[in-house]
Amino acid sequence: MSTAVNATGPSCVACGTRGLRDHLRVAGEMGADGLIPTTDRYGTALADIVRCPACGHMQLSPMPQDAVLEQAYADAASADYVAEEVGQRETARRALERIERHAARTEELLDLGCWVGFLLAEARDRGWRTTGVEPSTFASAFARDELGLDVRTEDLFTAALPSAGYDAVVLGDVLEHLPRPGEALQRIAALLRPGGVAWFALPDAGSAVARGLGARWWSVLPTHVQYFTRTSVRTLLRTHGWEVLEVATAPKAFTVRYYLERLAGYSPALSRTAVGAAARVGLAERLWAPDFRDRMQVLARPLRG
């Protein structure tokens, strides 16, 4: 497609550059299921994607209205991650190990966008005192009712949370959903105690897989409004006064069945065949954490003036 400058469009959320360039024509609808974490609507976003010529960051243009996103996330409901609890907990333990390497203290942990709360449950088992914020009525109710967690059905910007109250703040697969991620970083910095750290997990739009698949990459989804690269997420953090401590890949553990079912976004027939073959040889329910190197985890700490 054309790479013409979108001169009248927005500024880059990572570095502030204007004159973003048209990148991918992927505008479409969110679909009947709404904005859920397990969609297989690959290659569809709520607007086309533009790219910053300075830092390489990609974002939707125009950005969806806040009210549309807020309502969609409040209504989001899916049991797919609940069914994958074993793998979700394994993924959470790996994240917590990284966090505990860098946090000055391991007492209070806040998970912003915690979905059904498996990371919070694992953190509680490790001795953390935990709090979660989740806009989905379905997911936050599950976290409270089934796991006994302190999870508020609220928005990360407006939830009543204590300043300097946490040793770690987690945003797992959240930053890419936010129209104004810089404001989120300012909010998180105010919530962290001195020596506290934030852990982010998000798709890596600069990875070889993402570049190779282009518009058909499985992270080009209606749920995503930002497409960070390792460079652009570092730029965003530095711009807002953060020190990057570590950047690494972040594979997720799911059953083989779950991963093969995701192939339906490309070919339903292939997905059915692959799931059936895995079931016949006894592999379908085995945990698998393939590292496609297109999902990153970032640990960072706000610089104190």
Side-chain angles (χ1 to χ4, degrees):
M1 64 165 293
S2 169
T3 57
V5 174
N6 189 344
T8 61
S11 300
C12 173
V13 303
C15 71
T17 295
R18 294 194 64 85
L20 306 187
R21 296 179 178 272
D22 293 338
H23 183 59
L24 294 174
R25 296 198 182 280
V26 291
E29 303 296 327
M30 67 178 68
D33 292 333
L35 299 184
I36 60 173
T38 51
T39 182
D40 59 8
R41 291 175 55 79
Y42 313 140
T44 300
L46 297 183
D48 289 331
I49 298 172
V50 294
R51 185 177 185 275
C52 175
C55 73
H57 181 70
M58 289 155 272
Q59 62 194 63
L60 298 193
S61 179
M63 197 64 69
Q65 295 181 352
D66 287 354
V68 172
L69 295 177
E70 289 167 5
Q71 187 61 55
Y73 285 124
D75 294 340
S78 171
D80 289 351
Y81 273 25
V82 174
E84 292 288 328
E85 179 173 357
V86 174
Q88 291 291 285
R89 285 178 175 268
E90 172 60 26
T91 302
R93 288 191 289 270
R94 296 178 186 181
L96 290 164
E97 288 172 3
R98 295 273 186 164
I99 292 166
E100 290 165 359
R101 293 178 194 174
H102 295 283
R105 299 191 305 177
T106 55
E107 296 179 5
E108 299 282 350
L109 182 141
L110 172 66
D111 191 344
L112 296 171
C114 64
W115 194 237
V116 294
F118 291 138
L119 184 143
L120 287 172
E122 287 295 321
R124 180 181 59 189
D125 291 348
R126 298 166 80 95
W128 290 87
R129 292 188 293 274
T130 62
T131 304
V133 173
E134 170 55 51
S136 163
T137 301
F138 160 82
S140 56
F142 182 94
R144 289 190 299 269
D145 299 342
E146 301 299 326
L147 301 180
L149 294 165
D150 175 10
V151 172
R152 295 91 183 271
T153 310
E154 296 186 76
D155 175 86
L156 72 87
F157 291 105
T158 58
L161 300 166
S163 297
Y166 302 96
D167 302 294
V169 176
V170 170
L171 285 90
D173 299 295
V174 170
L175 208 61
E176 66 272 23
H177 300 262
L178 303 178
R180 294 177 300 282
E183 292 181 17
L185 293 181
Q186 293 168 359
R187 165 80 158 150
I188 296 162
L191 295 172
L192 281 167
R193 293 170 174 165
V197 298
W199 180 87
F200 307 91
L202 61 162
D204 181 357
S207 64
V209 166
R211 296 195 309 272
L213 289 175
R216 294 295 287 157
W217 180 37
W218 47 73
S219 284
V220 177
L221 298 171
T223 55
H224 295 165
V225 302
Q226 309 289 352
Y227 292 85
F228 287 96
T229 67
R230 292 191 176 209
T231 297
S232 72
V233 76
R234 286 178 180 274
T235 300
L236 176 76
L237 286 160
R238 285 197 301 266
T239 298
H240 291 276
W242 288 68
E243 173 192 9
V244 176
L245 303 173
E246 181 180 359
V247 180
T249 60
K252 284 185 175 182
F254 287 107
T255 60
V256 170
R257 176 187 300 276
Y258 178 92
Y259 274 113
L260 296 180
E261 286 175 346
R262 304 279 73 73
L263 290 173
Y266 297 110
S267 170
L270 174 61
S271 176
R272 290 192 297 271
T273 300
V275 170
R280 285 192 296 274
V281 298
L283 294 178
E285 306 311 318
R286 182 173 296 182
L287 280 187
W288 188 29
D291 190 354
F292 301 109
R293 306 191 68 79
D294 69 329
R295 183 172 183 265
M296 55 181 158
Q297 58 183 317
V298 181
L299 285 120
R301 177 179 290 125
L303 297 170
R304 305 291 178 176

